Amino acid sequence: MVKKLVIVGNGMAGIKCVEEILELEPGQFQITIFGAEPRPGYNRVLLSKMLQDKSSFEHIVTHDWAWYEENGVRLYAGERVCNIDIAARTVETETGIKEPYDILILATGSLPFIPPIPGAQKQGVIAFRDASDCETMAEYAKTYEKATVIGGGLLGLEAAQGLLNLGMEVEVVHNAQYLMNRQLDRTAAALLQRELQQQGMRFHLAKKTVNIMGRNRVRGLVFSDGNRLETDLVVLAVGIRPNTELAEDSGLKVNHAIVVDDYMRTNIPGIYAVGECAEHRGISYGLVAPLYEQCKVLAKVICGRETAPYEGSIPYAQLKVAGMHVFSAGDIREERNETAVMEYDGIRGTYKKVMMRNHAVTGAILFGDTAESNSLLGMVRRGAPTAELTSQDRGVSRAEEEAAKLPEEETVCACNSVSKGAILRAITIDKLKTVEEVKNRTKASASCGGCRPLVAALVKNASSPSAIAGAVAAPAVQEVVPVCGCTHYDHDSLKTAMVTARCQTPVEVVTRLGWTRQQGCELCRPAVLYYLESLGLRDRSASGQLVGDVAIQATAQRSGEWVSASLRFTGLMDLNGESQLFSESFQIGGEAFAEAAWLKKRLSAVWGSRTLPAPIAVAVCPGPEYPRGVLVHDIGLSRSPAGWEVYAGGHADHPVRQGRLIGVEENAEEAVLMATACLQMYRYNARYGEKMWEWIERTDVLVLRESVLDATLRSGLAGNQRDYNADRGTG
């Protein structure tokens, strides 16, 4: 039975949850989203872009109307949920729409904080929080000239930048002694202020507004020191507060925000909270990256997947403020920390400061050049020793140096969770040449833009002559990574050596190939046993074993990679009961459904008990009326008007990979032969633990396609399986 999942909130956190759930379990939930704004999903980080010349709301949309329809998500836009009936498990909107739920996610976000200043309700006083506020500011700019922003934090500076773009005179009033005082120190703030003043902003620091003048609409501000400032428009950007009214009215536990545990669960079973409205271990986060980290955990919880608990996030901001790159992470307070490193370049306008406590890195600030942000963030998260801060000048820019030494699994774009490896694969496979092409392909730098220098460095490094030459010569100079510490062989050379040395047992592998540990380890034991099996080397009658078959088998199964049943089927063919299978068949044609059932049975008989480098997921679809994610499985077989389409190399989890079309066969028996040939090539040639999509990307799908489309070679591949030949007479 499909569960009903309701999300209250169509903001960045709510949609991210849906994206993660769709990647993990497409089709498992009937998803409904309620959004208070009459708009599709958009990026709030880019609100100021709406106020730039020739820009509009469409430029910041992340999920257009078509996305909801294509993914089977029902969106109630412009519908504010006002009540949760916990007993009946329903939500109700202000217009009377009721929707039942099995699982409810509250992603209600936050509201602008309106300070208790007399006159704050006058006409011409607005907040800066959503797209409607931007539209209001644009309308005022058509009539009025002078605008004042109260708030010198990130949000206030973004609003001020937008008003400048609209052609207004802009004053910024801030109650602290320097800008962005929660993220920057005085030096970085002074650099930022200087740049903004050159753009035309004027600042009034350490000022407290005590009154907003004007009879019906705003005419000016009065400060606590008695000074006044004339203005036509006041934009309040002094902070946000979690939107918890719905939760409070419904009986959920609320402190500063909705209280959740390490799995984003509230005190009411079946109800979760995520994003700015959630409070985890006493903290509610207002930045994108922590919200996305919460969404990943919550999606796995809802989909029934194992996941590590969410243990909180290191607060950091990697931003582009009015054209200047700014990064801040961790604890930067001088009263609690010492300065480990400080670098200031007045000519280039760059600044770096790293804080430490007890010789461990605790915080960092970068201004102007944020190329080191990822490595510094990693140090802050680990509490790395300050000795790691030493660097060498290699004659390249700092961005290029950081890009080169960043591990491939490290995240480059925190807003969209894009790793260095994903960017490099896109650059290589799609032959990307510019940052814009990378952004369009991967979404890296598409949000706040703070990672753009690092993305640019990756593009430059990947396209440099040395990188190209290295890529061409990669097979000859590639670093050999041993299977484990017991041997100097990597996976490929180990297989060759086992064949050359005619090893038939694990003991022979150890003695003939010079293992350093006679008992092996948890990494090599299952790999050795697998290669003996898959290469047809193993003498089953031999008694000599590495540590005994039982121990090897147990180790392999614990690893989660090699198991006796490596094939599993998903989707339609998992329906229980023959009667249900064939009652469904009348809707799509009995012949197609019977073929699908036979195909699944045949593949199960052939491969259900055979070992493979990694577990394989197979989707069998008897027709377009029953889409079952064929393109996001290792092997996908789909009935079409031309016959059976065979796909290979799909992957539903992150990073998502679309299966490649291998070929089309007229009947199910030939489709089984093609799928079998694909699996046999994978079994022979892949490295132990290497997933099918990884093997195809490493070796090139053309090699696989040309091999299995050759009728003679395909028959040979299929005929080499004793289990397959024995099964051909059954059905």
Side-chain angles (χ1 to χ4, degrees):
M1 181 178 177
V2 177
K3 293 182 179 180
K4 296 179 179 179
L5 172 63
V6 174
I7 298 94
V8 181
N10 191 40
M12 296 174 73
I15 294 180
K16 183 63 174 179
C17 278
V18 173
E19 282 187 323
E20 295 289 336
I21 290 168
L22 289 174
E23 285 189 9
L24 292 173
E25 295 291 345
Q28 181 176 333
F29 300 98
Q30 176 185 314
I31 302 176
T32 302
I33 300 178
F34 289 92
E37 293 186 67
R39 307 173 188 274
Y42 65 92
N43 189 343
R44 292 184 187 274
V45 177
L46 303 180
L47 273 177
S48 62
K49 286 188 177 294
M50 282 189 65
L51 305 176
Q52 295 178 5
D53 293 338
K54 299 180 181 180
S55 187
S56 64
F57 176 73
E58 285 69 27
H59 288 76
I60 67 171
V61 170
T62 56
H63 300 75
D64 58 20
W65 300 109
W67 178 85
Y68 297 88
E69 183 176 352
E70 291 168 358
N71 288 278
V73 177
R74 181 170 54 176
L75 171 64
Y76 286 103
E79 290 286 348
R80 189 182 303 275
V81 174
C82 62
N83 181 57
I84 303 172
D85 189 328
I86 293 174
R89 285 186 172 245
T90 61
V91 297
E92 183 177 0
T93 69
E94 292 176 342
T95 62
I97 296 175
K98 281 190 175 182
E99 184 72 21
Y101 68 84
D102 296 307
I103 299 172
L104 177 63
I105 299 176
L106 299 181
T108 50
S110 60
L111 299 172
F113 174 70
I114 307 299
I117 303 172
Q121 306 304 319
K122 286 185 171 70
Q123 184 181 357
V125 181
I126 63 173
F128 179 63
R129 186 61 185 158
D130 57 32
S132 297
D133 296 327
C134 290
E135 292 172 347
T136 301
M137 292 163 66
E139 285 300 314
Y140 272 107
K142 295 177 182 178
T143 306
Y144 300 100
E145 296 180 354
K146 296 181 179 180
T148 299
V149 177
I150 299 180
L154 173 65
L155 195 64
L157 297 180
E158 288 285 356
Q161 180 67 31
L163 291 166
L164 275 181
N165 291 332
L166 292 173
M168 300 190 77
E169 299 177 19
V170 180
E171 312 272 353
V172 177
V173 176
H174 192 42
N175 59 4
Q177 294 183 344
Y178 55 91
L179 301 175
M180 291 185 65
N181 51 293
R182 293 185 178 180
Q183 291 88 19
L184 304 180
D185 65 0
R186 290 178 180 271
T187 303
L191 286 168
L192 177 60
Q193 182 177 340
R194 183 181 68 184
E195 294 290 338
L196 295 175
Q197 285 173 334
Q198 291 176 357
Q199 294 183 19
M201 293 186 202
R202 294 190 289 267
F203 295 93
H204 305 268
L205 303 178
K207 294 286 187 181
K208 181 180 179 181
T209 305
V210 296
N211 191 25
I212 298 177
M213 300 184 295
R215 179 173 296 179
N216 296 316
R217 72 173 321 280
V218 62
R219 289 287 181 262
L221 304 179
V222 179
F223 302 129
S224 58
D225 59 8
N227 291 326
R228 301 189 176 202
L229 177 65
E230 292 185 0
T231 190
D232 301 314
L233 172 67
V234 172
V235 177
L236 299 175
V238 295
I240 57 176
R241 58 183 179 86
N243 186 2
T244 61
E245 183 178 356
L246 175 64
E248 291 181 80
D249 293 343
S250 303
L252 275 71
K253 184 178 180 181
V254 175
N255 189 20
H256 175 64
I258 305 170
V259 178
V260 297
D261 64 8
D262 289 352
Y263 298 95
M264 313 316 295
R265 298 175 294 206
T266 69
N267 62 309
I268 303 296
I271 302 181
Y272 303 81
V274 68
E276 293 175 330
C277 68
E279 179 180 323
H280 173 263
R281 298 187 184 183
I283 301 174
S284 56
Y285 298 92
L287 297 171
V288 173
L291 274 54
Y292 282 5
E293 291 171 13
Q294 294 176 359
C295 291
K296 288 180 180 293
V297 172
L298 177 54
K300 290 182 179 178
V301 170
I302 288 176
C303 292
R305 302 288 185 92
E306 289 188 10
T307 180
Y310 175 70
E311 297 180 340
S313 301
I314 295 293
Y316 76 94
Q318 183 164 304
L319 313 158
K320 188 176 181 181
V321 182
M324 276 73 69
H325 292 283
V326 179
F327 170 79
S328 174
D331 189 352
I332 61 169
R333 291 173 290 182
E334 294 184 351
E335 63 271 20
R336 294 188 55 182
N337 304 279
E338 300 177 79
T339 300
V341 173
M342 182 183 291
E343 299 175 5
Y344 174 51
D345 187 332
I347 298 175
R348 294 197 306 135
T350 60
Y351 176 68
K352 170 184 175 181
K353 184 178 182 180
V354 182
M355 307 301 292
M356 66 179 182
R357 186 165 56 249
N358 298 326
H359 302 288
V361 177
T362 57
I365 298 171
L366 297 173
F367 180 88
D369 182 352
T370 58
E372 292 182 86
S373 58
N374 288 83
S375 59
L376 285 174
L377 177 59
M379 292 182 191
V380 172
R381 283 174 167 166
R382 293 183 286 110
T386 52
E388 292 188 23
L389 292 169
T390 58
S391 61
Q392 299 176 351
D393 185 2
R394 298 174 182 168
V396 297
S397 73
R398 181 165 285 171
E400 293 169 54
E401 182 181 345
E402 292 298 320
K405 71 182 183 182
L406 193 69
E408 288 202 8
E409 66 274 10
E410 191 71 42
T411 298
V412 172
C413 178
C415 295
N416 297 295
S417 301
V418 186
S419 68
K420 174 184 173 180
I423 294 172
L424 291 180
R425 284 192 294 272
I427 292 172
T428 304
I429 295 172
D430 297 333
K431 296 180 173 58
L432 307 181
K433 301 295 185 184
T434 67
V435 176
E436 284 301 311
E437 290 176 344
V438 172
K439 182 179 75 173
N440 294 335
R441 177 67 178 82
T442 68
K443 293 186 178 180
S445 77
S447 295
C448 72
C451 62
R452 189 178 179 90
L454 195 55
V455 174
L458 288 172
V459 172
K460 183 175 181 180
N461 287 357
S463 60
S464 66
S466 59
I468 295 173
V472 172
V477 300
Q478 184 176 4
E479 180 184 1
V480 174
V481 179
V483 173
C484 65
C486 304
T487 177
H488 66 278
Y489 289 104
D490 65 356
H491 284 274
D492 294 330
S493 62
L494 173 60
K495 289 193 288 183
T496 302
M498 288 171 64
V499 173
T500 303
R502 299 181 180 180
C503 299
Q504 292 185 309
T505 68
V507 169
E508 290 177 350
V509 174
V510 167
T511 55
R512 295 179 185 179
L513 301 184
W515 245 241
T516 60
R517 285 194 292 264
Q518 293 302 303
Q519 297 302 312
C521 67
E522 291 190 359
L523 294 176
C524 65
R525 285 197 296 258
V528 166
L529 185 60
Y530 171 73
Y531 291 140
L532 288 171
E533 292 278 359
S534 63
L535 297 173
L537 300 173
R538 190 176 183 205
D539 181 1
R540 294 179 179 268
S541 65
S543 58
Q545 302 297 333
L546 192 61
V547 288
D549 272 347
V550 175
I552 294 176
Q553 178 81 6
T555 300
Q557 289 182 337
R558 280 199 306 272
S559 74
E561 294 292 341
W562 182 79
V563 290
S564 58
S566 291
L567 231 66
R568 66 180 178 88
F569 287 82
T570 63
L572 177 67
M573 305 315 296
D574 272 340
L575 293 172
N576 295 320
E578 291 293 324
S579 61
Q580 184 176 2
L581 287 174
F582 285 95
S583 65
E584 293 278 355
S585 72
F586 290 108
Q587 300 177 24
I588 59 175
E591 180 182 353
F593 197 92
E595 276 192 338
W598 178 89
L599 194 153
K600 182 254 184 179
K601 183 178 181 181
R602 180 60 59 90
L603 279 175
S604 296
V606 175
W607 288 96
S609 61
R610 296 189 69 83
T611 58
L612 287 163
I616 292 291
V618 180
V620 181
C621 175
E625 297 89 344
Y626 288 85
R628 295 294 168 180
V630 168
L631 295 181
V632 288
H633 287 78
D634 299 287
I635 294 290
L637 300 106
S638 179
R639 177 70 182 265
S640 70
W644 281 93
E645 298 173 345
V646 180
Y647 296 86
H651 188 237
D653 295 333
H654 182 77
V656 177
R657 289 291 184 273
Q658 180 172 308
R660 313 289 185 89
L661 178 65
I662 304 301
V664 181
E665 294 296 340
E666 292 185 2
N667 56 61
E669 186 169 359
E670 290 298 322
V672 168
L673 283 174
M674 182 173 286
T676 293
C678 290
L679 289 168
Q680 191 69 342
M681 281 198 68
Y682 168 59
R683 186 169 185 260
Y684 282 154
N685 299 308
R687 299 162 181 167
Y688 175 76
E690 187 174 39
K691 296 179 176 61
M692 193 168 203
W693 69 269
E694 295 174 325
W695 169 67
I696 288 177
E697 286 197 357
R698 177 172 64 84
T699 58
D700 193 349
V701 71
L702 292 177
V703 176
L704 174 61
R705 188 177 292 142
E706 290 172 359
S707 299
V708 301
L709 289 178
D710 184 307
T712 302
L713 183 55
R714 181 172 67 202
S715 298
L717 285 167
N720 280 338
Q721 295 189 81
R722 294 187 297 273
D723 290 349
Y724 176 77
N725 289 332
D727 181 67
R728 292 197 67 174
T730 67

